[in-house]
Amino acid sequence: MGLRERKKRQTRSLISDVASGLFMQRGFDNVTVAEVAEAAGVSTKTVFNYFPRKEDLFLDRYPEAVELVTRAVRERAEGESPLAALRRLFLRMLREGHPLGGIGPGYQVFWQVILDSPALRARTRELVEEFEGVLAGLFAEAAGTDPADPAPRLAAALVVAAYRAVYVTSIDRIRAGDPMQDVIADRVALLDRAMAAVERAVDAF
């Protein structure tokens, strides 16, 4: 990575970190892009150059999620299915405490910011739908089939549904006061079973 690209990534990270801190302190809808720009020491135009939508300041890891699943599928081991590669990726992220794993100290505040903002909830739904499309494209590419074929679409929908079900279950348990470590351990096992069920369902289609 060249110096210019590193600086761009650093600026993007700075803006997002500053914005996230403000959103978690005051609520997403109570902070303007101009306030984010001022706190980050950049212009409003610069903020929009990196984040065309305000919501993406808080949901800034979506591009990383796309990159991770794309690499997992395209660089999977010979003989490994795309679903198995994703299952391995998701479980590794959970065990390593990757931020995209969605479970960890302080995440309750992150979730609450989203729940309190209709705009963030709507954008989250859009990104989930977009992510499902990315997965369908990767599955079609791996199988050498038409992206419009129902099989890759079904596989993508099942992966998203399984991951979401496990994720929401974990959030509900943490919000109810269950110990974080217990939830994480149970989530690894539950996600493993859910992805195994998806593989069986897709194989039977």
Side-chain angles (χ1 to χ4, degrees):
M1 186 185 303
L3 177 61
R4 180 181 176 82
E5 184 61 29
R6 287 201 302 272
K7 287 185 176 180
K8 288 175 63 176
R9 291 201 176 193
Q10 289 170 357
T11 300
R12 186 182 191 279
S13 179
L14 169 66
I15 294 170
S16 176
D17 289 347
V18 169
S20 294
L22 291 173
F23 296 151
M24 287 190 282
Q25 289 172 8
R26 295 163 48 191
F28 179 81
D29 298 325
N30 298 321
V31 178
T32 67
V33 174
E35 288 173 320
V36 171
E38 182 178 0
V42 300
S43 67
T44 301
K45 180 180 178 181
T46 297
V47 173
F48 281 117
N49 284 341
Y50 285 94
F51 301 95
R53 298 178 59 163
K54 178 187 173 185
E55 294 81 8
D56 294 342
L57 284 162
F58 198 62
L59 305 171
D60 63 304
R61 287 189 176 271
Y62 175 72
E64 182 183 357
V66 171
E67 180 182 350
L68 285 171
V69 297
T70 300
R71 289 176 55 190
V73 172
R74 290 180 175 170
E75 299 176 10
R76 67 191 186 281
E78 185 176 354
E80 184 179 40
S81 72
L83 285 173
L86 289 179
R87 180 182 181 184
R88 180 165 49 81
L89 170 66
F90 294 158
L91 293 175
R92 177 172 59 80
M93 289 169 60
L94 275 182
R95 293 188 177 108
E96 294 178 355
H98 191 287
L100 282 169
I103 299 291
Y107 271 72
Q108 296 95 320
V109 179
F110 177 84
W111 301 325
Q112 195 60 52
V113 172
I114 294 176
L115 291 173
D116 289 342
S117 171
L120 277 177
R121 293 201 305 272
R123 181 59 175 154
T124 299
R125 288 192 292 270
E126 289 178 1
L127 291 177
V128 168
E129 183 177 346
E130 184 178 320
F131 189 71
E132 184 176 314
V134 170
L135 291 178
L138 289 170
F139 294 155
E141 177 185 287
T145 60
D146 189 321
D149 187 89
R153 288 183 173 180
L154 173 64
L158 289 175
V159 168
V160 169
Y163 194 91
R164 182 182 184 280
V166 175
Y167 186 80
V168 171
T169 298
S170 300
I171 291 176
D172 288 344
R173 287 186 57 189
I174 291 174
R175 287 167 60 86
D178 286 7
M180 179 74 69
Q181 291 305 314
D182 290 350
V183 175
I184 292 174
D186 291 345
R187 187 180 177 198
V188 169
L190 183 57
L191 184 58
D192 191 28
R193 295 205 311 272
M195 289 299 294
V198 170
E199 290 183 57
R200 291 193 299 272
V202 170
D203 286 343
F205 181 69

